Every structure is written in structure tokens, then in C-alpha cells.
Amino acid sequence: MKALREAFGDELLELAKEYPELYVIDADIGKSCKTTEFQARFCKQHVNVGIAEQNAAGVAAGLATLGKIPIVSTYAIFGSLRMCEQIRQEICYPNLNVKVMCSHGGLTPANDGASHQAIEDMGVMRTLPNMTVIAPADYYSARNLVRKAVEMYGPVYMRFTRDAFPFIYDENIQLEIGKANLLKEGNDIAVIASGEIMSVAINACEALEKEGINARLLDMHTIKPLDERAVVEAIEECGALITVEDHNIINGLGSAVAEVMAECGKGRLKRIGVRDKFGESGPYEELLASNGITVEEIVKSAKELLK
Amino acid sequence: MGNQEKVSFLKDKAKELRKTALTMIHEANSGHPGGSLSAADIMAALYFYELKLDPQNPSWYERDRFVLSKGHVCPILYSSLILRGFMDKKEIYNLRKFKSILQGHPDMKKTPGVDISTGSLGQGLSTAVGMALGLKRDGIGSRVFCLVGDGETNEGQIWEAVQTAVKYELDNMVIFVDNNRIQNDGFCDEIMPVLDLKDKFQAFGCETYRIDGHKMEEIVNILDQIRGRRNKKPIVIVASTVKGKGVSFMEDVPKWHGVAPNDEEFEQALREIEEGLK
Ligand SMILES: Cc1ncc(C[n+]2csc(CCOP(=O)(O)OP(=O)(O)O)c2C)c(N)n1
Ligand SMILES: [Mg+2]
């Protein structure tokens, strides 16, 4: 188990050695976002603009015009919402090579309460042209995807978790941005999940297995560009789909998959995720449960879809 | 060039810029004349005297940068770029047209010589800070010039950007404030009093000056004075200006913030500009 924000901090140290043009822009939460080691070792590539996220986005854009690769680091709620218009105007519109990499995604800042829980970030970022939107499932895939995001040109939004989550991959994992990763084969039903909630999805698939339902499991780390082919294949080969995300069921992974399905004209879908309501302080598992983001609910939904 | 020749050359350029910008706005039948005209003299001095640029190579890395934070007055920027040879003169007639390289607000991907896309007020200055910071860390002596509107300083992000410029000692940055005392809905004093902007920027830690933004001698003097200056402070030049300057019926009239002149008004405007600033 390891927190995904640790992956961000760790991979930055590797990347900085290879990319002298890499910059990290902090907004006074470097300690929580795990950039302090980067700052200590690569101070010439580090900027802290204080509690001024909108400015952070603009400074990053300016640096990007010089050919730098700036990464703005803050919490998901501020990186996607406080900075939203700046990202739209100064990063996505001119298609500048800025990465917005955020800790505290989804309900994972559980104790902090609704003000800090980002349940809209992926969806909001998904509607911006030129933006790539990613939620890694665990520490190792987060490290790999951070690297891939730096290797590709263009704006990227990526969210990490504050807390530790189980390992799903190992250090050799190689993912491709925009391409779903098949975690488990199966043709009865397809579970498509994104982000740290993958561990719940994995447990659900195991539970389904025990009930004789052979589920396919896809790690849809990139919700934009969505791997539409993998979705269509799942529709054609499994018929029924369940999306699982730590995000509002509106506009996130579930919506993205629903859009493909609607145009496909066939298939059945159940979206599991935050039920369009704000969170509150409490244990992460309780918050998930209150939204039906549980193994039991996934199993129940699968059975209903297969009826 | 002697000082007097230089000044009269730049005054002529300012005239040309004013006429070109109004021609563009008239042709497009939309755009922002007031703030274009108030900025014309500063833009003439920047583009025909101060900025280190290469029209043949707009993305030359060691060039000076210019950020039009008050992006709505892009006709005056486009005019500067066209007259400096970044684009063909015929582009004058393409402002805001479909498929044009001259968008209603600056687009760095479409227009050669535009260093950053702007249009949403309050954001350009942050990008200028990013540019100045990166250039400084790269050890490149280029400077970054930014033009900010006085109404635009209502935006909190302006002050976020200034704090960063001060913290990182960005003395390779020059911020011009077009202090024409008018914003969109009316006079700043009524909409949102900006108070003494020189004092404000000074309090934030900048090196500040106030000049008459329509006296070419003063603009040239201040540019000469600060050219080699590197004293760890961003430089802010608050320019007292008149919105609509050079066209009597537009001067100091809030209505001319964002409407195009009709044919008659346009003809009169050109005549008055030709006569020179009063
Ligand atoms: C964020 C944002 N809000 C509103 C506008 C609409 N707008 C365009 S120009 C303007 C007034 C600008 O006033 P000022 O900065 O003083 O410019 P100038 O007087 O030089 O034209 C407004 C409100 C905008 N472009 N961006
Ligand atoms: Mg004004």
C-alpha cells in the first residue's frame, strides 16, 4: 500500500534528472503534494507562488511558452475548479505543454470534508478541448503515468490520492495514455473503473467470480481521450457494463462511457460513483458506502444487469 | 537618430497605429477603439523603439516578449505587428473575420508575433511573470513587457502575479498600466475605484513611475532610463492616459470602450488623427 501522491513526488525526482526543462509550481501545499524533495534537490526548477492557484496556472503557461514543461501541483479541488478558467484560457486554448497534477482527488481527503473532496474535477477538465484527463489506480501506475504525461506534448490533468491504496501493478508496469488496460478477462459483464477505486472493482470482480459471473475488468486510467475501442469491444463482447469511479456519476468516467454506448445503439450500463451530492467528513469507506460505491453494490448491479 | 527625430518618428508611428487600428475596427464593425487609442503611444514606442524582435523569426528565443494582458485592445497590437512586418498589410481587413489569423482577442497559435493568447482579463500578467522567470533562470537577458488595463487591476489575479514577480526579483519585467480611468461600464471611480495605482504597485514592492502616456518624449525617456536597470524589482510604469485619445468625440467617453465607428465617424476620426494629438 502506498499513497498515489507519493508516486508523484518520487517520479518527479527521476524525471528532473532527465528533463532540465521540467518545472514544478507549488501553491503553498508542496508538503502535502510531495514536492518538497524536488524543491530541495532542483530549486532552480521550482517555483512557489503562494496561495494563488490562478496565478500558478498563468505562470505555468508563461513558462511553457519558453519550452519548459511546467507541472502545477495543488489539491484536485483547486487545480480543477479555482484554476479552471485559467487552464481553459491560458493552457488549453493555446495548447501549451502544462501538466496539472493534483493530490487529494475524489473523496480521499475524507476527514477534510466536502470543501476538499474533488468530485467534479475529472468531468470539468474533460470538457476542455486539448485536455488529457487521467486518474491512476495505484502507486506504480501513477509513477508510470506521470512519466508518460511528461513525455507527451500537451495539457494533462491528473489526480492522485492523499491516502495509501493497495498495489495493483508492480514497478515494471507500462501503460499507454488513452488506452485501457485489461486487468482481467471475462465476457459475462465488463467492469470499467478509473482511479484508486480500482481496488474495490477488483474485489467486486472476485466476488462475481464466486457467483459464477465472469467479469472483464478494465483500468480506464485515461478518461479523455477515452479508449472508445475498448468500450465498444466490451459492449459487443459482454453486453453489460458497470463503471466505477470516485467522482460524480455526472460527467466523469460513467458519462464518458455512456456517451459511447448511446452512439453505439446497444448495451446496458450501470454507473457507480458519487450520486451527485456533496460529501462530508468521515472515513473514506463510509463515504463510499453512502454512495453505493461498494463491492456489494457492484455485485448487485451486475446481477440486475444480467437478469 | 537624434532625440527629436526619434520622437517625431515615433509620433508618426503612433498616428499610423491609431489609423490602422480604427480601420480594422471599422472594417470588422466591432472591437474596442477606446483602449486601443489610449495605448497607441506606448505601443508605438515599444514596437518601433524598444522591443528586441525579429519579424522574420517571430519565435526567436532571445527576443523580448510582449503580453497584452488587456487583450481586447488587440487591434493596436495587430497594427503594431503589421506595421513592423510580422504580417501582410492586407490582414488589416481580416480582423474578426471567419478563418482569419486575427481573432477578436489575441491568439498565439494563429497570429505571428503574439507571444501569448489573452482576452480574459487578469490572466496575462501571470503568464508574463512565467516568461520573465524562465528567461531569468535561463540567464537570457531578454525582457518581458506587459500592458495591463486600469479596470483590469480589479482582478485579484493581477496582485497574485505582482507578488510573484516581486518575490522572484523579476527586474527583467516592465509592466505598463494604461491608466485611462475608464473600464467597461463607466468610469473606474464609479465602477470600482482603483485609487492611486502607482502607490499600490509601490506598496507591493515594485519600482514604480508615473508618466504621461501620450507624451512621446516622456515614454522614450522612461524607456531609456530603465533599459539597463536591474535592481531586483519589477518595474511598473503607470501611464496617465485618455481613453479614445486622438479622436475628439471618443476621448474620455466610456461608450467608446467597445463599439465600432460608423462610416462618418470613421472618416472624421481619421482626419483628426492625421492632425495629430492635441
Ligand atoms: C475576466 C474578464 N471579465 C470581463 C471581461 C469583459 N471586459 C472586456 S474589456 C473590460 C473593461 C476593461 O477595462 P480596462 O482594463 O480599464 O481596459 P481599457 O480601459 O484599457 O479598455 C471588460 C470588463 C473580460 N474580457 N475578462
Ligand atoms: Mg481603463
Side-chain angles (χ1 to χ4, degrees):
Chain A
M1 294 245 303
K2 220 169 179 181
L4 277 63
R5 61 176 164 163
E6 302 280 357
F8 171 58
D10 293 347
E11 194 60 29
L12 279 181
L13 301 177
E14 296 300 317
L15 286 164
K17 291 182 213 152
E18 299 159 46
Y19 291 88
E21 64 272 39
L22 192 79
Y23 266 71
V24 170
I25 295 137
D26 269 318
D28 198 35
I29 38 181
K31 279 186 204 154
S32 344
C33 296
K34 301 295 160 196
T35 55
T36 41
E37 191 59 28
F38 178 93
Q39 173 180 9
R41 295 235 231 101
F42 304 94
C43 63
K44 285 199 113 171
Q45 289 159 256
H46 181 267
V47 184
N48 194 329
V49 298
I51 314 157
E53 295 78 12
Q54 305 171 72
N55 180 46
V59 169
L63 284 164
T65 66
L66 305 176
K68 312 291 181 202
I69 308 174
I71 301 180
V72 181
S73 169
T74 176
Y75 292 159
I77 194 78
F78 311 129
S80 62
L81 297 181
R82 178 66 69 98
M83 280 167 49
C84 181
E85 208 230 346
Q86 284 73 10
I87 293 175
R88 194 261 184 198
Q89 306 285 10
E90 302 299 338
I91 296 172
C92 288
Y93 174 40
N95 196 22
L96 290 171
N97 197 16
V98 174
K99 321 296 172 188
V100 180
M101 299 204 166
C102 298
S103 180
H104 292 49
L107 295 168
T108 71
N111 294 329
D112 288 329
S115 66
H116 282 57
Q117 295 160 357
I119 56 166
E120 315 90 340
D121 58 334
M122 304 284 287
V124 168
M125 289 294 115
R126 189 169 78 92
T127 62
L128 298 176
N130 291 335
M131 184 58 106
T132 292
V133 185
I134 302 173
D138 77 339
Y139 174 86
Y140 289 113
S141 60
R143 284 196 65 157
N144 184 244
L145 287 164
V146 168
R147 171 167 290 272
K148 294 281 160 71
V150 168
E151 283 170 359
M152 72 165 259
Y153 182 89
V156 175
Y157 176 83
M158 196 183 300
R159 61 137 83 152
F160 311 110
T161 67
R162 183 190 63 180
D163 298 324
F165 282 85
F167 295 123
I168 292 164
Y169 299 101
D170 65 25
E171 66 213 30
N172 299 316
I173 181 64
Q174 289 293 329
L175 295 173
E176 204 182 306
I177 290 173
K179 197 159 184 330
N181 188 55
L182 181 68
L183 276 174
K184 180 182 168 303
E185 301 211 35
N187 277 343
D188 294 337
I189 193 164
V191 177
I192 303 179
S194 187
E196 88 288 346
I197 208 70
M198 196 64 64
S199 50
V200 174
I202 289 172
N203 293 340
C205 289
E206 279 168 13
L208 285 171
E209 201 72 30
K210 289 197 186 108
E211 309 227 9
I213 299 170
N214 191 11
R216 172 179 306 186
L217 178 59
L218 291 174
D219 175 358
M220 195 64 84
H221 43 78
T222 310
I223 72 156
K224 186 188 165 189
L226 187 76
D227 187 345
E228 296 191 8
R229 221 173 111 184
V231 175
V232 172
E233 263 171 28
I235 295 168
E236 274 166 2
E237 291 163 22
C238 309
L241 270 51
I242 298 176
T243 55
V244 190
E245 63 196 308
D246 176 6
H247 185 277
N248 199 337
I249 52 167
I250 295 177
N251 215 10
L253 170 73
S255 290
V257 168
E259 288 157 17
V260 174
M261 185 175 277
E263 289 190 348
C264 206
K266 54 182 165 182
R268 280 151 296 141
L269 173 68
K270 172 73 184 175
R271 291 170 299 156
I272 303 244
V274 176
R275 294 173 174 172
D276 196 26
K277 62 178 191 187
F278 290 109
E280 59 184 298
S281 289
Y284 175 67
E285 284 70 24
E286 292 295 335
L287 293 170
L288 293 183
S290 71
N291 282 286
I293 312 174
T294 58
V295 169
E296 297 70 38
E297 194 65 26
I298 296 171
V299 170
K300 199 175 117 207
S301 303
K303 287 183 183 161
E304 271 166 25
L305 281 171
L306 292 175
K307 250 188 226 158
Chain B
M1 242 191 281
N3 210 46
Q4 244 174 355
E5 275 170 78
K6 191 164 68 193
V7 166
S8 78
F9 166 79
L10 292 173
K11 281 182 176 173
D12 279 348
K13 288 295 172 197
K15 257 189 207 180
E16 278 187 69
L17 290 185
R18 285 192 163 89
K19 286 193 283 187
T20 310
L22 281 189
T23 306
M24 297 177 99
I25 294 168
H26 177 249
E27 179 71 26
N29 198 21
S30 76
H32 296 79
S36 294
L37 294 173
S38 61
D41 301 294
I42 295 165
M43 292 298 280
L46 287 177
Y47 274 85
F48 293 90
Y49 182 60
E50 194 61 25
L51 294 180
K52 194 172 67 174
L53 300 167
D54 179 2
Q56 302 313 312
N57 184 10
S59 53
W60 174 39
Y61 196 70
E62 315 226 323
R63 73 189 184 279
D64 289 334
R65 294 338 188 245
F66 177 74
V67 174
L68 185 64
S69 200
K70 46 170 239 170
H72 57 285
V73 307
C74 54
I76 203 73
L77 170 61
Y78 297 158
S79 300
S80 311
L81 292 170
I82 288 169
L83 297 181
R84 263 305 245 116
F86 280 84
M87 288 171 272
D88 198 287
K89 281 223 162 62
K90 71 174 191 319
E91 296 297 345
I92 290 170
Y93 301 101
N94 292 333
L95 176 68
R96 294 180 172 230
K97 302 243 162 95
F98 190 53
K99 303 274 185 206
S100 169
I101 62 169
L102 300 183
Q103 295 292 297
H105 290 81
D107 181 332
M108 66 181 289
K109 289 283 152 105
K110 292 203 163 80
T111 313
V114 170
D115 289 323
I116 185 82
S117 308
T118 49
S120 178
L121 293 169
Q123 301 188 11
L125 187 59
S126 293
T127 68
V129 168
M131 294 176 194
L133 188 106
L135 289 167
K136 202 174 168 94
R137 289 207 178 159
D138 283 353
I140 289 173
S142 319
R143 287 183 294 167
V144 181
F145 293 78
C146 183
L147 181 63
V148 174
D150 49 6
E152 187 183 6
T153 67
N154 297 172
E155 289 283 0
Q157 194 184 338
I158 290 292
W159 304 100
E160 297 183 1
V162 171
Q163 292 174 90
T164 308
V166 170
K167 173 185 171 186
Y168 288 101
E169 303 179 341
L170 301 181
D171 48 13
N172 55 344
M173 241 189 119
V174 181
I175 304 167
F176 275 94
V177 183
D178 188 350
N179 198 181
N180 58 26
R181 301 174 299 104
I182 294 177
Q183 47 197 102
N184 186 68
D185 281 349
F187 287 92
C188 300
D189 279 349
E190 288 160 29
I191 308 305
M192 181 48 67
V194 295
L195 308 182
D196 188 321
L197 286 169
K198 180 177 181 299
D199 286 352
K200 278 188 173 172
F201 282 97
Q202 181 79 31
F204 271 73
C206 302
E207 177 167 320
T208 60
Y209 300 90
R210 184 176 279 280
I211 61 164
D212 180 332
H214 300 305
K215 288 246 154 58
M216 196 54 82
E217 298 80 354
E218 283 192 34
I219 303 174
V220 166
N221 278 345
I222 194 72
L223 289 172
D224 288 343
Q225 196 183 326
I226 62 169
R227 191 167 301 118
R229 176 91 106 240
R230 295 289 188 277
N231 65 355
K232 305 199 166 174
K233 286 181 177 183
I235 292 171
V236 176
I237 300 168
V238 180
S240 301
T241 54
V242 175
K243 205 152 172 169
K245 182 73 178 178
V247 178
S248 60
F249 57 92
M250 291 187 181
E251 284 187 6
D252 225 18
V253 179
K255 168 194 132 173
W256 285 101
H257 168 74
V259 286
N262 63 26
D263 293 348
E264 214 175 301
E265 291 161 337
F266 175 58
E267 292 308 325
Q268 185 186 339
L270 289 188
R271 275 198 306 277
E272 290 189 16
I273 290 168
E274 196 46 55
E275 285 163 17
L277 297 186
K278 307 251 155 42

